[in-house]
Amino acid sequence: GKIWCDSEYEHGSCFYLSLPIITPSSDYIENNSKNHYPEVLIVDEDIDSFRKVQEIVVSYGLNVLWARNGVEALGLISMEPTVKLLICNLFSNSMEGILSIQLIKNINNTVKTLVLGNAKTIDEFKKNYDIKVDFYSTVIIDELLINDILTRIKQKEQLL
């Protein structure tokens, strides 16, 4: 799949999206809780970063779904309505990531979002895009913030 844009001076821009059909496999889902539904979607092309964040998430008894990029994330989020938290790394491929977050929020507006990125990327994101993001961090793997968010999600579940 791919995301692209056509722009015409004084006429505006049109964004296009092509999604492949992706069926989750055991490579994507780490089941560790009583249910077998993914609750956290981690979008990161780097397997080592993914594994570090996954370790934190799994320690809360939550299931993890992994997408290597924004296009995969879009396909997976549309098939998995149980996702409660999207953790997206914008340190690379930031334009694709930004467009993906916007489209994911259109598909599932209840999913909480944590965007990881450098300060410049996050400042540009906040200034130039009208996308509701719940949490930002300039740390590649912000363990304290991730733990805080996961604690809130678990507490909210207990109240339901």
Side-chain angles (χ1 to χ4, degrees), residues 27-104:
D27 292 343
Y28 288 96
I29 301 174
E30 178 78 27
N31 289 319
N32 292 291
S33 69
K34 293 176 186 165
N35 70 55
H36 297 287
Y37 303 106
E39 297 151 307
V40 178
L41 173 58
I42 301 170
V43 184
D44 198 322
E45 63 188 21
D46 180 62
I47 185 73
D48 294 325
S49 295
F50 161 73
R51 292 281 182 214
K52 289 175 186 170
V53 175
Q54 177 192 33
E55 185 178 314
I56 298 167
V57 173
V58 167
S59 72
Y60 282 81
L62 297 170
N63 294 320
V64 175
L65 191 62
W66 176 40
R68 291 173 187 87
N69 55 52
V71 174
E72 278 187 12
L74 284 166
L76 293 171
I77 201 87
S78 64
M79 295 182 334
E80 298 294 346
T82 58
V83 171
K84 298 177 181 99
L85 175 63
L86 168 71
I87 300 175
C88 184
N89 181 338
L90 290 185
F91 280 94
S92 61
N93 298 324
S94 59
M95 190 61 195
E96 177 188 314
I98 290 167
L99 291 172
S100 299
I101 292 167
Q102 187 170 27
L103 293 169
I104 286 169

Side-chain angles (χ1 to χ4, degrees), residues 91-141:
F91 280 94
S92 61
N93 298 324
S94 59
M95 190 61 195
E96 177 188 314
I98 290 167
L99 291 172
S100 299
I101 292 167
Q102 187 170 27
L103 293 169
I104 286 169
K105 287 296 226 176
N106 289 342
I107 293 168
N108 180 349
N109 65 358
T110 63
V111 68
K112 298 291 183 202
T113 49
L114 166 58
V115 172
L116 308 171
N118 60 44
K120 182 180 178 204
T121 301
I122 287 177
D123 286 345
E124 288 175 11
F125 183 90
K126 288 178 179 179
K127 267 195 283 188
N128 299 320
Y129 299 94
D130 186 28
I131 303 171
K132 184 185 181 307
V133 171
D134 302 283
F135 309 97
Y136 295 95
S137 178
T138 56
V139 179
I140 292 177
I141 300 171

